[in-house]
Amino acid sequence: MPAFVTTLAQALGQPWVRALAYAACILTGWIGWIGTFPLDDAYITLHNARALLAGADTTYGGSPLVGATSLVHLALLALLGHVLPLVTASCLLNILAAGAYAAGLDKLARNCGVAGWQVAIYTIIGLTIGSVPIQLCNGLESGMALAVATWLLVLARSRFLPLLAGIAPFVRPELGLLAALLLADPFLKASARGKANMVGYGLLTALPFAIWSVLETGHILPNTVSAKLAFFVEESSDLLERFRMLLGALTLSQVLLLMAGLIAFKKSDLTRACSVFTIVLLLVATATQPGALIWNEYRYLMTLVPVLLVCCMALGQDLRYPVLMLGLFACAMAFLPTSLDLLQQSRAHTERELRLLRHNAALVPRDTKVLIHDAGMIAWVAPRLHLIDAVGLKTAYAAAAHKRFTKTVCRWDRALDDTARHFGTRYMIVLQKPLWDCVGSNLVRAGWTATSLGGQDRDSDYRIFAIQPPLSR
């Protein structure tokens, strides 16, 4: 082996060198940050935090918790918002979550018997594979979900597991399943007193968020999933088509490569729990909404990265040479520039749209009711408007309308007509891109007239329309 390779391997065995390498991976995603996030969803969270700090959501009405996927992330963002501008607070929260994720991966690798320089390589894989670099910088709870999933695995044999398990579903609902699978074996083996302690520790962290959610929304967990399922109804019930969509998502996200680790599913209780979690999550997504697997640059699939890395580490221990680890590392490095370029492009696009939306929204009369479908950026730049979320994440009536009337995507006529009439909306803002432009065309097909508002900057991908209902039903 060349001397420089030996020297590098020895250096990576040092904790401080590994910490520097992880910091470089995390901070690379923030190089050239222009103060924006790559997704509209990040601005829903920012709006919710601002409304929480203000004590009310005057833009959408109702509780700021409505439409929030992660109560833990929202609470921490609002807490930091007391001392920092919310955009800065969101950036800091993303960096802290990424740091916790990296520390967890390093500890997890050592728990799984990985030693020396390979600990660093597995951790760097976890930080850079697929769209993970985007998830760590997207202004959402994605990085926190990765961190919590990783530390659940780290604490799998610890008495502190129930404490983290209690808050896991309030970071992201699917993490509740992972927590339950990891708790099952120690719970069944525990004495009666041990079982009581585990339940007590779990309730200690879960109850505050559960009570807060019930008081604010009437639900223990967020109802965003049911709203999305009602709006994004899958037209095809063909099982083969659904599995084709699943395979495409797994391939493009690079999660399929990590699934090689499932070969080691029998090796330990931990690998069995990870394998079951992966299979159940993918089967549920395939049966209900396979298209969701590609949303937000594979946001939900990326939660599987630390879970499947456990299986890959276990499989790697049985291989004579670290071919699987090095293959995953090579793949991660090969596609990392693409992910970082997409991140920068998305941020620049968001910056432009925020600027143009701020200008165009000023043309809409104050306190006007406006039908929208992207609930984040417009709420962030124009909180003076009264917004009606056509998807139903922030407007419960719209979600109920889709459950009654919507049978497939881009056939939202009746649901949109019912919602727009109910609230008396007179403007709508529609993204002029495939799928989303159906919001405008479907409402027109339902008999409404839509007139593009004069004076708006046409460089924006969003178009504002003045709308009028049919003269008679």
Side-chain angles (χ1 to χ4, degrees):
M1 183 179 292
F4 80 92
V5 175
T6 303
T7 302
L8 180 61
Q10 290 174 346
L12 287 175
Q14 300 298 315
W16 67 271
V17 176
R18 296 203 305 271
L20 287 176
Y22 305 156
C25 290
I26 293 167
L27 296 178
T28 296
W30 294 100
I31 293 175
W33 187 52
I34 56 176
T36 60
F37 298 103
L39 299 170
D40 177 83
D41 289 33
Y43 292 89
I44 300 177
T45 304
L46 287 169
H47 165 77
N48 289 340
R50 181 173 62 188
L52 193 60
L53 291 171
D57 188 347
T58 57
T59 304
Y60 287 103
S63 168
L65 272 62
V66 172
T69 301
S70 174
L71 298 189
V72 175
H73 180 261
L74 176 58
L76 291 174
L77 179 58
L79 187 64
L80 285 174
H82 280 289
V83 294
L84 293 171
L86 281 171
V87 171
T88 305
S90 185
C91 169
L92 178 60
L93 195 55
N94 273 198
I95 292 173
L96 292 174
Y101 174 48
L105 286 172
D106 186 277
K107 176 64 173 173
L108 182 61
R110 288 181 283 120
N111 284 0
C112 290
V114 179
W117 60 276
Q118 294 189 23
V119 172
I121 298 300
Y122 273 118
T123 302
I124 292 171
I125 291 169
L127 290 168
T128 58
I129 198 165
S131 68
V132 169
I134 298 175
Q135 306 306 324
L136 297 178
C137 303
N138 64 5
L140 293 168
E141 82 295 331
S142 306
M144 187 178 293
L146 283 165
V148 170
T150 304
W151 280 98
L152 283 171
L153 298 167
V154 170
L155 298 174
R157 298 177 181 87
S158 168
R159 67 180 185 277
F160 297 113
L161 176 61
L163 289 170
L164 185 57
I167 65 169
F170 299 100
V171 174
R172 273 256 282 275
E174 68 269 27
L175 294 179
L177 172 61
L178 178 60
L181 289 169
L182 294 173
L183 281 169
D185 186 62
F187 183 81
L188 292 174
K189 292 178 179 178
S191 64
R193 182 175 180 178
K195 288 182 172 68
N197 286 338
M198 293 173 73
V199 171
Y201 290 151
L203 290 176
L204 183 65
T205 53
L207 277 180
F209 291 101
I211 293 171
W212 187 31
S213 181
V214 170
L215 291 177
E216 292 286 330
T217 70
H219 305 279
I220 294 178
L221 292 175
N223 62 347
T224 53
V225 173
S226 63
K228 289 178 180 178
L229 288 176
F231 184 80
F232 295 103
V233 181
E234 292 287 355
E235 182 174 11
S236 174
S237 59
D238 180 26
L239 189 60
L240 289 178
E241 174 63 16
R242 289 175 177 267
F243 274 106
R244 185 194 67 78
M245 295 173 68
L246 171 65
L247 183 61
L250 292 173
T251 302
L252 293 173
S253 66
Q254 300 176 34
V255 169
L256 190 63
L257 298 173
L258 292 167
M259 290 181 69
L262 293 178
I263 296 171
F265 76 99
K266 287 185 177 180
K267 189 160 186 183
S268 68
D269 291 339
L270 190 59
T271 56
R272 279 191 288 272
C274 290
S275 300
V276 171
F277 175 72
T278 300
I279 293 168
V280 170
L281 192 68
L282 294 179
L283 286 178
V284 170
T286 303
T288 57
Q289 183 59 265
L293 296 174
I294 66 171
W295 291 348
N296 301 152
E297 298 302 327
Y298 313 101
R299 171 182 170 191
Y300 300 106
L301 268 181
M302 288 302 101
T303 310
L304 292 176
V305 168
V307 175
L308 288 171
L309 273 177
V310 168
C311 299
C312 290
M313 292 173 196
L315 181 60
Q317 301 300 303
D318 294 335
L319 300 176
R320 184 175 181 181
Y321 300 105
V323 290
L324 176 60
M325 179 193 70
L326 294 177
L328 291 172
F329 181 75
C331 183
M333 292 300 102
F335 287 95
L336 179 59
T338 302
S339 293
L340 293 175
D341 184 58
L342 177 60
L343 178 62
Q344 296 287 29
Q345 289 182 34
S346 299
R347 283 171 174 162
H349 178 265
T350 300
E351 189 277 331
R352 185 194 72 175
E353 289 301 334
L354 286 169
R355 175 167 38 83
L356 296 175
L357 270 174
R358 186 175 284 108
H359 169 269
N360 292 344
L363 302 173
V364 180
R366 187 179 184 86
D367 296 329
T368 301
K369 292 181 179 179
V370 183
L371 189 70
I372 54 90
H373 57 79
D374 277 353
M377 286 190 286
I378 183 61
W380 183 245
V381 300
R384 64 184 181 82
L385 300 177
H386 289 170
L387 302 181
I388 311 300
D389 180 12
V391 177
L393 297 177
K394 293 293 293 179
T395 304
Y397 186 91
H402 285 296
K403 290 175 183 177
R404 290 198 306 272
F405 301 122
T406 299
K407 303 301 179 186
T408 187
V409 293
C410 277
R411 294 292 185 271
W412 301 312
D413 312 32
R414 293 185 66 189
L416 293 175
D417 174 64
D418 182 59
T419 300
R421 286 177 182 274
H422 177 80
F423 290 101
T425 56
R426 289 298 177 263
Y427 291 87
M428 69 175 175
I429 302 176
V430 181
L431 181 63
Q432 300 301 294
K433 289 188 177 180
L435 178 68
W436 293 115
D437 58 2
C438 288
V439 172
S441 63
N442 284 188
L443 195 60
V444 169
R445 194 165 60 198
W448 288 65
T449 58
T451 306
S452 183
L453 201 62
Q456 60 183 308
D457 194 319
R458 299 298 177 118
D459 287 337
S460 174
D461 289 338
Y462 292 90
R463 193 65 47 80
I464 304 179
F465 298 90
I467 58 176
Q468 290 292 330
L471 294 178
S472 60
R473 297 202 70 148

